[in-house]
Amino acid sequence: METVLVAITDQLRCQRDQGGSALLVLLDLTAAFDTVDHNLLTHRLAMTGVRGIPLKWVSSFLQNWGQRVVRGGLVSAWSPLTCGVPQGAILSPLLFNIYMRPLARLVRSFGLECHQYADDTQLILRMEGQPDSVPDSFHQCLEAVTGWFRASRLRVNPAKTEILWLGRPGGREIQLPTLDGETLRPSSSVKSLGVLLDPLLTMETQVSAVSRSACFHLRQARRLAPYLSRNDLVTVIQVTVISRLDYCNALYIGLPLSVIRKLKLVQNTAARLLAGVPARWCITPILQQLHWLPIEYQITFNLPLGREPSRL
């Protein structure tokens, strides 16, 4: 997930650095895992080289599934399922990725980039300069993608499909086509795999959202602290606060320290709560005792050696 987001933001930033503009399209599919056609899935598995006994094994895995409704003590009869991959099964994400594999090739044939993660499909259209409208290839790509989804028994939801326009700040809004009969409009920010992206890719919206969410859970943890052992309190803070600071934090590399400061304040507050010390207590020995890297170093911890993060 983090790798996909890093690739997307890197492509968008490179396009802006070269003086161009870009369009990020986040397609939303309705009940994607539940509408996978078993016959089509078996065919696409065979096309990828899964044949013979392995193909029969996967086919048997997909067969003989059913569902029924239980309400108020009443139970309906079993109804066979002829589509969909079982929710929660280890194989399901892999099977869905194979099912969606031909889409990326179709999108790239129109000159667009395609990034996929499970049922999240994101398209990137890169354009020279600052145009007022998208090229015809984009119209044709959307029509082809919509047709492909229909043929694959999938349905794109135009109302929940988001568009991020990365053009000149303060410039005119780009004219967009329709998707399945509904006009597309750019958004001030979009949520890509749980991360908020803004048109300037400053990540300020994302950092502010993470800080607010982490502070809320930190306040709840403070109320629970008198009733929890230290180990339990550590677990609560790790799960509800630190996990939010760490989520896809590779996207924060190169951000100004004034932006990172919001995350740093949350981390320091969490550390002082675990140590049971006042707010003005020196944070360095506390972080060392907890074996926590300061947030600015935690962000660059996984950065490859020899590569220096650039500052915005």
Side-chain angles (χ1 to χ4, degrees), residues 35-37 40 44 99-100 147-154:
T35 56
V36 171
D37 185 273
L40 279 175
R44 288 173 184 172
Y99 191 75
M100 294 285 290
W148 186 89
F149 279 133
R150 288 199 187 103
S152 300
R153 311 296 191 269
L154 299 172

Side-chain angles (χ1 to χ4, degrees), residues 52-270:
I53 294 178
L55 184 60
K56 291 180 180 179
W57 181 81
V58 175
S59 298
S60 67
F61 171 74
L62 297 172
Q63 294 171 358
N64 300 323
W65 288 92
Q67 64 179 4
R68 62 180 179 176
V69 178
V70 179
R71 181 178 180 183
L74 300 177
V75 182
S76 70
W78 282 100
S79 177
L81 291 176
T82 59
C83 62
V85 288
Q87 296 291 329
I90 295 177
L91 272 179
S92 296
L94 176 61
L95 293 176
F96 187 82
N97 287 340
I98 294 174
Y99 191 75
M100 294 285 290
R101 186 179 180 186
L103 178 62
R105 190 182 306 112
L106 173 64
V107 170
R108 293 186 179 112
S109 68
F110 290 94
L112 280 74
E113 295 294 331
C114 182
H115 296 273
Q116 296 172 287
Y117 185 88
D119 60 338
D120 286 283
T121 301
Q122 304 182 44
L123 315 181
I124 296 179
L125 171 66
R126 295 195 261 186
M127 295 170 283
E128 299 295 331
Q130 306 290 331
D132 295 328
S133 60
V134 294
D136 293 338
S137 59
F138 184 70
H139 296 251
Q140 297 165 1
C141 181
L142 287 186
E143 291 178 358
V145 166
T146 303
W148 186 89
F149 279 133
R150 288 199 187 103
S152 300
R153 311 296 191 269
L154 299 172
R155 183 176 182 273
V156 63
N157 188 348
K160 293 186 177 181
T161 293
E162 296 183 293
I163 304 288
L164 186 67
W165 164 235
L166 295 93
R168 182 187 298 112
R172 295 174 56 186
E173 189 175 278
I174 193 169
Q175 298 298 316
L176 296 177
T178 60
L179 177 62
D180 204 16
E182 187 164 332
T183 302
L184 299 174
R185 291 181 177 83
S187 303
S188 57
S189 66
V190 298
K191 180 170 283 190
S192 173
L193 297 173
V195 173
L196 291 170
L197 301 178
D198 59 90
L200 297 178
L201 298 177
T202 62
M203 303 303 296
E204 291 184 11
T205 304
Q206 167 66 10
V207 170
S208 297
V210 169
S211 300
R212 285 195 303 270
S213 177
C215 284
F216 169 80
H217 290 283
L218 197 54
R219 289 193 296 270
Q220 305 305 311
R222 188 182 298 277
R223 294 176 182 175
L224 292 173
Y227 310 100
L228 298 176
S229 66
R230 188 180 184 280
N231 288 339
D232 290 339
L233 183 59
V234 169
T235 300
V236 169
I237 290 180
Q238 285 285 355
V239 171
T240 63
V241 178
I242 303 304
S243 62
R244 284 175 165 79
L245 301 183
D246 290 343
Y247 180 72
C248 292
N249 62 4
L251 299 174
Y252 305 150
I253 292 175
L255 293 183
L257 294 179
S258 58
V259 178
I260 300 299
R261 184 174 180 272
K262 296 180 180 179
L263 303 178
K264 188 177 180 67
L265 290 174
V266 173
Q267 184 192 47
N268 292 349
T269 304

Side-chain angles (χ1 to χ4, degrees), residues 41-51 98-99 101-102:
L41 176 56
T42 303
H43 173 71
R44 288 173 184 172
L45 282 167
M47 295 297 293
T48 59
V50 181
R51 298 187 178 94
I98 294 174
Y99 191 75
R101 186 179 180 186

